[in-house]
Amino acid sequence: MGTSGQKHVLITFGRSFLTLELTRLMSAAGHRVTIVDSIPVGVTRFSHGADAFHRVPAPKFEPRAYCHALAQIVVDEKVDMVIPIHEETDILSMMVDIFPPDCELFLSDFETENSLHNKFEFQELLVARGIPALKYAQVRGPDDLAALDFDAPFALKECYSRGSQKVHKVTPGDPMDWVEFDPINPWLAQEWLSGTNYCTYSICRDGQINAHATYPVDYAIGGSSCLNFKSVQHDAIFDWISKFVRDMNFTGQVGFDFIEDPERGLFCIECNPRATSGIMMFGPEDGVDRAFFGTNDEIITPGADVDKMIGLGMLLYGWRKDSRRGRSMRQFVRAFRSSSDVISCPGDQRPAILLPFAYLGILRSCYKYKVGLAEGFMHDHEWDGLRISE
């Protein structure tokens, strides 16, 4: 496969703005980019940075067919690296053996990926390593639910869940008859702590951070899925992540959610072992492609003046009360006007112009799966713990 500095990369989940941004960054660095998705029209397909697009099976519903389709594209088009974006990362990690040995899948082994994805297992990892963690408990059934001994509000969320799904804030004594139990995907009860929230994005290879971004949770869907991004330096968070990924010998993209309390200190709430919105904070001048191939000598970080937003997300969700996090509508308008939209890019305006057309495919998925827009955007690329062998 590729022997020069220019590589051929395959990036998954073509409908995602994360994929669009990474495609632009890779293309600007001179690499050839192939995109795949299970819907026929994704926003990245319109980008000048994408050299080819392939429609593939939905990884959630046809995981084996999905992996084999990608492996065939790798062979036919001589792909050097596969970079998964969303939870197809877990699925691909179970079937790395079907890919040719001269193509790298930018991820860790399945056991590592799963232990970071599963919210309960991740908390167990923290405790096993002596890292301070918020109080937590796994809830597999009614007996576990009845045995919870929280004396203050706590979060209840599925062990395999993501930003499109609700985190329930529960006060002790609240009725819990609404909780349904899935033997494959149990619940995590986790102490609810107030403080300053941060999200991160890191590109790691063999336990070393090659690129990193930290950004506070500002405007966010339901207070969790960020819609705008401002780079900040937080040495304690960077040191925490550096030690953790070194201990895990992690390779891949990873994001962590932190909360910092003035009195109790810093806690990691959960881990997302895949791409996160932090990738959108980098620009072509940063050379972030080097972080994937391990050719950079320094840790790559975004510029200190980065102020970006997902414009469509801000219009759809950012103005809502639970997204504004106590801010007024006037403050929202000011933030919207001062931030640059990640979709719009000089020299590559087709994704922004054709975005309504791209969303027709997502709306079709919403109708097909009977879910809302946020859920429909990623529904067929989610992974909730079902092993392919099962």
Side-chain angles (χ1 to χ4, degrees):
M1 306 216 171
T3 56
S4 68
Q6 294 184 340
K7 302 289 186 179
H8 184 184
V9 296
L10 184 154
I11 308 177
T12 65
F13 203 43
R15 76 194 73 171
S16 172
F17 301 143
L18 282 63
T19 303
L20 173 63
E21 187 64 26
L22 183 54
T23 296
R24 287 168 168 167
L25 295 174
M26 285 289 182
S27 178
H31 305 293
R32 180 185 173 193
V33 182
T34 291
I35 302 300
V36 299
D37 204 331
S38 60
I39 62 174
V41 181
V43 66
T44 310
R45 188 171 184 176
F46 302 128
S47 173
H48 292 303
D51 292 277
F53 171 83
H54 295 273
R55 188 179 183 185
V56 294
K60 178 175 182 175
F61 303 111
E62 300 177 83
R64 287 186 175 276
Y66 175 80
C67 293
H68 280 284
L70 266 60
Q72 191 62 54
I73 295 169
V74 165
V75 172
D76 292 345
E77 301 195 8
K78 297 180 173 58
V79 172
D80 295 293
M81 177 181 284
V82 175
I83 304 178
I85 295 296
H86 195 43
E87 292 177 15
E88 64 275 6
T89 304
D90 300 85
I91 294 170
L92 287 167
S93 70
M94 287 185 275
M95 296 192 68
V96 293
D97 292 342
I98 70 170
F99 288 82
D102 49 356
C103 174
E104 180 181 6
L105 273 66
F106 195 69
L107 44 74
S108 288
D109 62 88
F110 171 73
E111 294 304 325
T112 298
E113 295 285 350
N114 183 50
S115 65
L116 299 179
H117 183 181
N118 184 300
K119 291 175 169 51
F120 173 74
E121 291 193 16
F122 175 65
Q123 296 301 316
E124 295 280 271
L125 276 177
L126 298 184
V127 172
R129 283 160 173 74
I131 301 173
L134 297 173
K135 181 179 178 180
Y136 68 96
Q138 190 176 49
V139 180
R140 288 191 168 275
D143 291 343
D144 290 339
L145 194 63
L148 292 177
D149 62 348
F150 289 88
D151 56 8
F154 60 93
L156 191 65
K157 51 192 173 183
E158 291 177 310
C159 289
Y160 294 104
S161 59
R162 63 289 306 172
S164 67
Q165 295 176 329
K166 186 175 182 180
V167 176
H168 304 271
K169 184 176 183 180
V170 180
T171 300
D174 286 352
M176 302 287 286
D177 52 355
W178 53 269
V179 179
E180 298 180 354
F181 300 101
D182 181 343
I184 297 176
N185 189 10
W187 295 86
L188 173 74
Q190 186 178 44
E191 177 186 356
W192 191 285
L193 183 67
S194 297
T196 304
N197 295 89
Y198 296 93
C199 294
T200 71
Y201 170 74
S202 303
I203 303 170
C204 307
R205 179 179 282 276
D206 300 326
Q208 298 296 316
I209 297 178
N210 287 349
H212 176 78
T214 298
Y215 49 104
V217 177
D218 200 5
Y219 291 89
I221 301 175
S224 59
S225 296
C226 292
L227 296 170
N228 66 328
F229 316 98
K230 296 181 180 181
S231 178
V232 299
Q233 180 176 332
H234 196 302
D235 293 337
I237 286 178
F238 180 81
D239 291 344
W240 190 104
I241 298 172
S242 296
K243 184 178 187 305
F244 185 83
V245 299
R246 183 170 60 249
D247 290 346
M248 298 294 294
N249 195 33
F250 182 79
T251 293
Q253 302 174 90
V254 64
F256 296 89
D257 294 345
F258 289 91
I259 189 164
E260 188 169 34
D261 178 82
E263 297 181 358
R264 296 179 56 186
L266 186 69
F267 294 91
C268 187
I269 302 171
E270 62 185 46
C271 174
N272 299 298
R274 52 189 177 272
T276 71
S277 297
I279 184 62
M280 295 187 286
M281 300 174 69
F282 294 90
E285 68 281 0
D286 297 316
V288 77
D289 63 299
R290 297 173 296 149
F292 287 90
F293 302 121
T295 58
N296 58 305
D297 296 322
E298 77 292 348
I299 297 173
I300 301 169
T301 57
D305 59 347
V306 168
D307 186 359
K308 296 185 178 181
M309 67 173 177
I310 302 174
L312 181 62
M314 287 285 276
L315 287 173
L316 291 175
Y317 300 101
W319 56 270
R320 301 182 184 185
K321 185 176 181 179
D322 61 347
S323 297
R324 287 187 277 120
R325 299 169 65 87
R327 296 176 180 85
S328 67
M329 280 297 296
R330 183 185 296 273
Q331 289 173 304
F332 165 76
V333 172
R334 188 181 300 119
F336 185 88
R337 295 179 64 182
S338 65
S339 301
S340 58
D341 190 358
V342 297
I343 311 304
S344 181
C345 177
D348 192 29
Q349 294 290 359
R350 286 193 305 179
I353 295 170
L354 297 174
L355 186 60
F357 183 65
Y359 260 76
L360 290 177
I362 298 171
L363 291 173
R364 182 175 177 270
S365 293
C366 294
Y367 177 79
K368 178 179 179 180
Y369 300 120
K370 303 296 188 293
V371 294
L373 181 60
E375 295 87 351
F377 184 81
M378 57 186 71
H379 183 70
D380 59 355
H381 277 62
E382 295 171 356
W383 186 73
D384 290 340
L386 182 65
R387 309 276 179 114
I388 289 180
S389 61
E390 297 174 4

